Amino acid sequence: MGQITLNQITKSFGDVQVIPPLDLRIEDGEFVVFVGPSGCGKSTLLRLIAGLEDVSSGKITIDGKEATEVPPAKRGLAMVFQSYALYPHMSVRKNIAFPLRMAGLDKAAQKEKVEAAAKVLNLTDYLDRRPGQLSGGQRQRVAIGRAIVREPAAFLFDEPLSNLDAALRVNMRLEISELHQTLKTTMIYVTHDQVEAMTMADKIVVLQAGVIEQVGSPLELYHTPRNKFVAGFIGSPKMNFFMGSFAAEFGAATIGVRPEHLTVSQDGGKWAGKVGVSEHLGSDTFLYVDMDGVDEPITVRSSGEVGFRHGDTVHLTPDPDKIHRFDNQGLRMA
Amino acid sequence: MATQHSRSAARLMMTPAVVLLLGWMLVPLILTLYFSFKKYLPLRGDSLERGLDWVGFENYVRFISSSSFWPSVQTTLIIVGGVLLITVVLGIFLALLLDQPFWGQGVVRILVIAPFFVMPTVSALVWKNMFMDPINGILAHLWRFFGAEPISWLSDASLQSLILIVSWQWLPFATLILLTAVQSLDSEQLEAAEMDGASPVARFGFIVLPHLSRAITIVILIQTIFLLSIFAEIFVTTGGAFGTRTLTYLIFQRVIDSQNIGLGSAGGVYAIILANIVAIFLMRIVGKNLDR
Ligand SMILES: Nc1ncnc2c1ncn2[C@@H]1O[C@H](COP(=O)(O)OP(=O)(O)O)[C@@H](O)[C@H]1O
Ligand SMILES: [Mg+2]
């Protein structure tokens, strides 16, 4: 079980309110990702759930039981920290066994559980090493192992992959998703990387300055962002925004078109512009097109190879069904 | 080429320091060794100009067979051990305390360091006259206030008093080193341990103490070096009486009171040997913390 409810919780550090009143319901077995720019309060929110910080007001319920005043160890949650927070003077075996030892489990049971976890995480050969003798990915797995053996109601991850290199990050992303499939335990995962959020989450919570901008499945957020912030944050490359007369034509203050919903041609189209940089990825080409009356270059994603040169004049045409309209408050218009 | 050049240039520039240091150490060491094999009693007319008589190991035999030798070694070890124990335990406690955020932290930290700046002679005199004096000392007043008989600290509990005075001087050093170590502990480790169900005591034992082990080692090694040779504190308080005669003090008495330089030098060589035994012993038990 791992059903968590946040009811009107707030958090202030001194006079600064980092989390304004916030409600959130996390279902049992869900993979929830908190995503948002750096400093928006993701870690703080996670630490409130963990109990490492006390809420300034509001109520936290875990599996229907009030948990606001319950100390961290008693909440039945396990956390994986960004720095891994392994105990440097203990072997991998002792690190993983630590929560069991603290719980007073006998030696034989400890050994059994540690070895089972090590097997799942491919750590069997490293059990007698110290954390200092492991690679980043292995340390990450030890940290996860230490969380798994507790059989928690929910796992909390705070940017667990941000210290890994790109290739390893993709691997670990898959491993964590795989782990979620096997264990079916609730996972709350914090990241500033929207790709991680899109690929791993059942449910994404987009945060900005402590406020929840939108909650939904990855595709919901992609197709129907509730406001400009979410529209710009979710999706890669970022959505293009047009204002002024471009938007007025569609009866909106701002319109947004994703790079993959623009077609580009040399012969004619809706908007004209000049090609700037083009990035050739093989499978796709990203064109950056400068348009008069738009501040930032417009990003266009075309599949395959496209043979435009720097300075060519091109015409862009948006897919009419895929235009997002926003009013002057930045909210989505029906 | 470039590295060769800069290397020889570096050697050249280090030379004065190396020569000075070597001279500083070697000259007294060689002189001590030299005198320890000679009969050298200035009051009986011995002097360097007239030449000293070679007496072989006679000074060594006399020094070690004196009835004060083993008690002085024992006293030295008790004082060093006692001070180390008190400063390390209290130092850890104070370091943890000073690491907590509280009002006036900056001032308190400076106050804690203050005793370290007081000269040993001065601090020992302050303790002797203002605290431990059986008639006018603050402690005597305190004892009388509670209706107890004042203790003559420096004669009845001389060794304990001495350990107290020296600990007071060295506590700031231990606290300071341990405080920096406490501050370098990753707070996420403590939080992880907290989530893993470790009580505050368990967190201290399993996380904080192992993290401090290296700093503790350094405190013990450095303090031992200095504590083996404490002198001023004994000189101004008990003058070596009441069982406070350390090896250093014994050597001092042999050279100055008995005016026997040869005998004192032999004692000096024993002191060197003792210091090395203690150092090897310490390296064995705590030094392995250093090569990590
Ligand atoms: N212990 C603290 N004391 C004061 N301010 C804090 C503390 N922890 C976090 N903050 C502030 O709260 C805000 C959110 O921080 P955080 O939750 O770490 O952001 P994120 O994890 O989303 O990058 C930041 O502006 C940060 O400066
Ligand atoms: Mg963070």
Side-chain angles (χ1 to χ4, degrees):
Chain A
M1 282 292 281
Q3 192 274 320
I4 299 168
T5 316
L6 310 181
N7 192 348
Q8 289 290 304
I9 60 164
T10 67
K11 177 67 189 177
S12 306
F13 291 110
D15 296 336
V16 187
Q17 191 170 50
V18 177
I19 309 275
L22 178 147
D23 288 302
L24 185 68
R25 193 182 155 84
I26 294 163
E27 300 301 337
D28 182 33
E30 245 180 350
F31 198 119
V32 178
V33 174
F34 295 169
V35 69
S38 265
C40 71
K42 308 178 296 283
S43 299
T44 307
L45 190 54
L46 198 69
R47 292 165 58 82
L48 288 175
I49 297 174
L52 293 172
E53 302 277 0
D54 294 324
V55 294
S56 302
S57 71
K59 224 170 79 174
I60 298 175
T61 336
I62 299 176
D63 288 333
K65 285 193 283 288
E66 164 96 36
T68 322
E69 302 292 325
V70 178
K74 298 267 158 63
R75 295 191 184 193
L77 310 175
M79 185 144 166
V80 176
F81 291 84
Q82 184 171 359
S83 67
Y84 315 138
L86 300 179
Y87 311 129
H89 50 276
M90 296 185 199
S91 64
V92 169
R93 185 189 300 279
K94 287 201 169 141
N95 262 282
I96 299 179
F98 190 72
L100 304 173
R101 190 167 166 194
M102 290 300 111
L105 220 66
D106 66 73
K107 280 260 157 58
Q110 279 184 29
K111 191 170 152 65
E112 190 181 323
K113 287 196 171 193
V114 168
E115 272 160 17
K119 210 165 156 201
V120 174
L121 295 164
N122 277 326
L123 284 171
T124 312
D125 295 340
Y126 305 102
L127 278 177
D128 294 313
R129 296 210 191 165
R130 294 266 179 97
Q133 301 164 315
L134 299 179
S135 70
Q138 290 164 340
R139 284 181 211 181
Q140 179 67 73
R141 285 206 285 265
V142 177
I144 295 175
R146 200 172 58 187
I148 289 181
V149 290
R150 292 181 54 199
E151 295 169 9
F155 290 96
L156 313 178
F157 294 92
D158 191 354
E159 311 222 9
L161 307 186
S162 55
N163 290 342
L164 303 179
D165 64 55
L168 209 50
R169 208 176 300 164
V170 175
N171 271 343
M172 284 308 296
R173 205 165 81 195
L174 290 174
E175 279 184 36
I176 293 177
S177 296
E178 195 64 47
L179 195 68
H180 180 238
Q181 295 300 330
T182 337
L183 300 176
K184 305 224 181 315
T185 312
T186 312
M187 290 189 178
I188 306 177
Y189 187 103
V190 162
T191 179
H192 63 265
D193 179 359
Q194 61 94 27
V195 176
E196 274 175 31
M198 292 296 279
T199 49
M200 302 171 86
D202 294 324
K203 182 157 100 183
I204 298 182
V205 177
V206 183
L207 289 163
Q208 184 188 205
V211 178
I212 296 184
E213 296 286 351
Q214 189 170 3
V215 180
S217 73
L219 290 183
E220 263 170 54
L221 299 193
Y222 179 81
H223 290 301
T224 52
R226 212 169 63 83
N227 55 31
K228 258 173 75 179
F229 176 79
V230 178
F233 197 80
I234 299 291
S236 167
K238 280 177 62 172
M239 184 186 276
N240 302 298
F241 291 107
F242 302 84
M243 284 178 284
S245 58
F246 296 100
E249 191 188 330
F250 293 89
T254 310
I255 57 168
V257 184
R258 295 195 184 277
E260 51 271 41
H261 299 143
L262 282 168
T263 40
V264 56
S265 88
Q266 223 147 12
D267 320 322
K270 199 163 177 54
W271 300 315
K274 269 203 169 57
V275 175
V277 175
S278 16
E279 293 175 340
H280 301 276
L281 303 180
S283 59
D284 292 307
T285 306
F286 296 154
L287 293 175
Y288 296 90
V289 178
D290 294 309
M291 272 172 64
D292 283 338
V294 183
D295 296 340
E296 290 186 18
I298 301 301
T299 316
V300 182
R301 175 183 197 159
S302 326
S303 27
E305 300 274 337
V306 188
F308 296 114
R309 291 171 168 281
H310 196 277
D312 284 356
T313 301
V314 291
H315 299 272
L316 306 177
T317 313
D319 182 344
D321 300 338
K322 303 279 171 63
I323 295 175
H324 303 265
R325 301 188 305 141
F326 302 99
D327 64 17
N328 50 18
Q329 249 105 63
L331 290 179
R332 181 184 192 79
M333 297 168 71
Chain B
M1 271 302 279
T3 46
Q4 281 243 316
H5 270 285
S6 56
R7 231 179 249 160
S8 46
R11 285 220 185 95
L12 197 69
M13 287 188 218
M14 284 192 311
T15 311
V18 172
V19 167
L20 206 67
L21 265 178
L22 271 183
W24 208 279
M25 279 172 34
L26 279 183
V27 171
L29 182 66
I30 289 171
L31 274 180
T32 306
L33 274 174
Y34 173 74
F35 288 143
S36 69
F37 291 105
K38 299 282 184 176
K39 179 170 105 47
Y40 189 3
L41 297 158
L43 286 185
R44 306 254 178 92
D46 293 341
S47 81
L48 280 174
E49 291 88 65
R50 266 192 263 149
L52 303 169
D53 293 338
W54 175 266
V55 291
F57 282 93
E58 193 186 304
N59 285 325
Y60 287 91
V61 176
R62 265 188 68 193
F63 196 90
I64 206 168
S65 55
S66 140
S67 63
S68 348
F69 176 73
W70 287 110
S72 77
V73 171
Q74 195 186 359
T75 308
T76 309
L77 293 180
I78 290 175
I79 290 182
V80 172
V83 174
L84 282 180
L85 188 73
I86 292 178
T87 51
V88 169
V89 172
L90 280 185
I92 292 173
F93 179 73
L94 276 179
L96 291 176
L97 216 60
L98 287 176
D99 189 44
Q100 310 297 320
F102 58 87
W103 191 82
Q105 198 177 38
V107 177
V108 173
R109 280 188 190 172
I110 291 175
L111 286 180
V112 167
I113 300 164
F116 205 46
F117 297 124
V118 181
M119 277 174 281
T121 327
V122 175
S123 90
L125 281 175
V126 168
W127 274 95
K128 179 188 180 185
N129 296 325
M130 301 184 72
F131 285 91
M132 294 174 163
D133 190 282
I135 294 157
N136 292 318
I138 289 180
L139 294 177
H141 282 293
L142 199 69
W143 256 243
R144 273 196 290 270
F145 178 80
F146 286 108
E149 186 71 16
I151 300 172
S152 2
W153 290 92
L154 287 167
S155 45
D156 294 349
S158 50
L159 213 49
Q160 291 91 322
S161 305
L162 213 60
I163 290 174
L164 179 66
I165 295 172
V166 179
S167 297
W168 182 80
Q169 276 172 39
W170 281 93
L171 187 56
F173 173 77
T175 307
L176 214 60
I177 301 242
L178 292 169
L179 178 62
T180 55
V182 167
Q183 285 171 336
S184 72
L185 177 57
D186 175 15
S187 65
E188 284 196 345
Q189 267 178 44
L190 287 176
E191 287 177 341
E194 190 181 351
M195 292 208 65
D196 284 343
S199 63
V201 176
R203 289 205 288 277
F204 176 77
F206 286 108
I207 314 292
V208 179
L209 211 51
H211 175 77
L212 291 182
S213 62
R214 201 191 276 238
I216 293 175
T217 309
I218 289 172
V219 167
I220 290 180
L221 287 180
I222 294 183
Q223 285 199 18
T224 305
I225 293 170
F226 285 93
L227 293 178
L228 278 172
S229 60
I230 52 164
F231 175 78
E233 295 86 339
I234 305 172
F235 185 73
V236 301
T237 51
T238 59
F242 311 115
T244 60
R245 183 156 50 193
T246 60
L247 191 53
T248 319
Y249 206 86
L250 183 66
I251 295 166
F252 162 77
Q253 286 187 333
R254 290 291 182 262
V255 175
I256 303 299
D257 296 353
S258 333
Q259 287 288 316
N260 191 338
I261 295 177
L263 191 58
S265 299
V269 176
Y270 281 124
I272 295 169
I273 294 170
L274 176 72
N276 278 292
I277 291 174
V278 172
I280 291 169
F281 188 64
L282 281 176
M283 286 291 199
R284 271 282 177 77
I285 49 173
V286 290
K288 56 178 187 287
N289 285 326
L290 283 178
D291 39 70
R292 237 196 299 136

